[in-house]
Amino acid sequence: MKRWMWIVFAVIIAVGVGSYSYTRYRLQEDSYTAEMRTGEQALQARNYTLAETSFTHATRTKASNAEAQRYLTQTQTYVDGQQALNARKFDAAKRNFTTVKNTKRGATTLISQAQDQLTLIQKVQRKRKVYQQEYQKAAELNKANEFTDSNVVIAKLLQDKQFKQRYYQDIRKNALNLQKQNKASLKTLTGSTPVIPSASQAVTGMTGSNRQTQRTPATNQSATSSSSAPASANHSSASSSAASSSYSDSQVQTTRAELTAQGLDGSSYSDAQIRAILQRATGQHLSLAQAAQTMNYSSDQIQATRAELAQAGFNANQYTDAQIEAILQQASLQHMSLAQAAKSLQ
């Protein structure tokens, strides 16, 4: 074969091989570019599964390219952070999102999203602290046998829409369990299913526990040993000052049940007196039991008591107003009638 024919043949082979290599290179580049573009679009759509798949394909297309591997690692770390956040493992989530945010020459979309997640974690942790404090307050009231007041705190928590988010589910579960315990305790004490106070009732001052300090065992024992108010007080003029208050019938019934749970005879109080007790508890930052036991007696109450003592055969005019108040308090504390209380103080 002539020499020139060999030359032509060699040129043809060289051109063929070169064309194949170039075509293969272009296909590889196009595939890599397409996979990276798909991955970045998936990140913007927060479709991290698709993004991870696309970046994985890109790494296999161009194994020598560090960008695809960097994006893949960054995406995987971000997903790990999301999983940790959903599981309320906040420290692990912060580490992962911080790594994503600090990735040099990483995906800008992920860097921005990681920063947003870090900001979210800060807000969630602050909110969790507030929710945990409220739950602890409800738990302390439960231990002090202030079951209705405990449920008031829980009702406020449950009315908060953010409290339903997954970041607070553990605290919410504990609050719901505590609410069930409070209901069971009140039912045992009162013999009927208690009315669960709403958040609006808590705001209008249904009970005094939201403003008082935690009661000590000694004061709690004092509350549970207290007796009922005398029946004659039901006809006092406390209604004149309390009737204008905005407490609803359901609040009155719930308060009456709580007074009974604390050792007082809630049924012995008229609706007007219950409203007066609520008003006093709100105005002077007292618990319901404290408000009931230390409520000042009006002049009409004193006169009504003096009249009842006169009907019982006592010389009621001999008692000063202070003595009448002492008789009323003695009757309340010692489970006595007015006549018995008057005799015990002679």
Side-chain angles (χ1 to χ4, degrees):
M1 184 178 291
K2 296 181 179 180
R3 182 170 179 158
W4 66 269
M5 295 179 65
W6 282 107
I7 294 174
V8 170
F9 184 70
V11 169
I12 292 173
I13 291 175
V15 170
V17 171
S19 297
Y20 171 77
S21 298
Y22 177 77
T23 300
R24 186 173 181 276
Y25 169 77
R26 288 308 312 167
L27 288 174
Q28 185 182 54
E29 285 292 322
D30 292 343
S31 176
Y32 174 83
T33 301
E35 293 290 359
M36 291 295 291
R37 185 185 302 113
T38 299
E40 291 177 357
Q41 291 173 346
L43 291 179
Q44 293 175 358
R46 300 182 185 276
N47 187 344
Y48 303 107
T49 300
L50 176 59
E52 190 173 347
T53 300
S54 297
F55 293 141
T56 298
H57 289 166
T59 60
R60 294 171 180 173
T61 302
K62 291 180 66 175
S64 61
N65 193 303
E67 182 183 40
Q69 184 59 55
R70 186 166 56 248
Y71 278 34
L72 174 60
T73 301
Q74 193 183 18
T75 302
Q76 291 171 335
T77 304
Y78 185 91
V79 171
D80 289 343
Q82 274 196 322
Q83 292 174 347
L85 177 57
N86 292 337
R88 296 185 294 275
K89 297 178 180 179
F90 301 107
D91 290 340
K94 283 195 290 187
R95 286 195 298 270
N96 286 322
F97 290 133
T98 300
T99 298
V100 172
K101 186 190 73 169
N102 294 337
T103 301
K104 295 182 179 179
R105 298 188 302 280
T108 56
T109 299
L110 275 182
I111 292 174
S112 176
Q113 291 176 0
Q115 181 59 60
D116 291 341
Q117 293 293 70
L118 288 169
T119 301
L120 173 62
I121 291 174
Q122 290 180 346
K123 293 179 179 179
V124 166
Q125 289 187 308
R126 285 197 298 268
K127 200 69 174 177
R128 280 181 62 87
K129 184 177 181 180
V130 173
Y131 288 149
Q132 186 61 41
Q133 288 174 343
E134 289 299 301
Y135 168 74
Q136 190 60 39
K137 183 191 300 183
E140 290 171 354
L141 288 167
N142 171 274
K143 291 179 181 179
N145 295 330
E146 299 280 3
F147 304 118
T148 301
D149 284 1
S150 178
N151 273 345
V152 168
V153 178
I154 295 172
K156 290 177 65 178
L157 277 174
L158 296 178
Q159 287 292 323
D160 191 329
K161 294 181 179 179
Q162 292 186 41
F163 194 46
K164 297 179 181 179
Q165 295 178 355
R166 61 180 179 271
Y167 312 118
Y168 318 109
Q169 286 303 301
D170 54 329
I171 304 175
R172 190 170 188 273
K173 182 179 179 180
N174 290 337
L176 290 171
N177 288 335
L178 184 60
Q179 185 184 64
K180 291 180 181 178
Q181 294 177 25
N182 289 334
K183 289 173 62 178
S185 297
L186 285 171
K187 186 174 182 179
T188 300
L189 290 167
T190 64
S192 61
T193 302
V195 177
I196 300 301
S198 65
S200 60
Q201 290 173 329
V203 171
T204 56
M206 190 190 77
T207 63
S209 67
N210 290 338
R211 296 164 300 280
Q212 68 175 25
T213 57
Q214 181 184 0
R215 291 170 55 164
T216 64
T219 58
N220 186 58
Q221 180 63 30
S222 173
T224 57
S225 65
S226 301
S227 66
S228 64
S232 62
N234 291 342
H235 306 290
S236 70
S237 65
S239 58
S240 62
S241 61
S244 60
S245 66
S246 60
Y247 299 108
S248 66
D249 291 340
S250 62
Q251 286 175 285
V252 170
Q253 294 303 320
T254 303
T255 303
R256 183 174 282 114
E258 182 174 353
L259 288 173
T260 300
Q262 294 179 3
L264 301 173
D265 185 2
S267 62
S268 69
Y269 295 93
S270 67
D271 288 356
Q273 285 178 306
I274 294 293
R275 289 186 170 91
I277 291 170
L278 283 167
Q279 194 172 46
R280 178 172 172 77
T282 301
Q284 298 191 19
H285 308 295
L286 302 172
S287 70
L288 290 176
Q290 290 171 331
Q293 293 164 14
T294 62
M295 186 169 62
N296 294 327
Y297 298 101
S298 67
S299 59
D300 287 343
Q301 286 177 292
I302 293 172
Q303 292 301 322
T305 303
R306 184 174 280 115
E308 184 168 341
L309 288 173
Q311 291 177 358
F314 290 86
N315 183 8
N317 291 327
Q318 70 175 341
Y319 295 105
T320 65
D321 288 355
Q323 289 174 318
I324 293 294
E325 289 183 353
I327 290 170
L328 285 168
Q329 291 178 356
Q330 180 74 355
S332 175
L333 292 173
Q334 299 298 328
H335 297 275
M336 294 179 174
S337 66
L338 289 176
Q340 290 173 327
K343 289 179 180 178
S344 69
L345 293 174
Q346 287 179 346

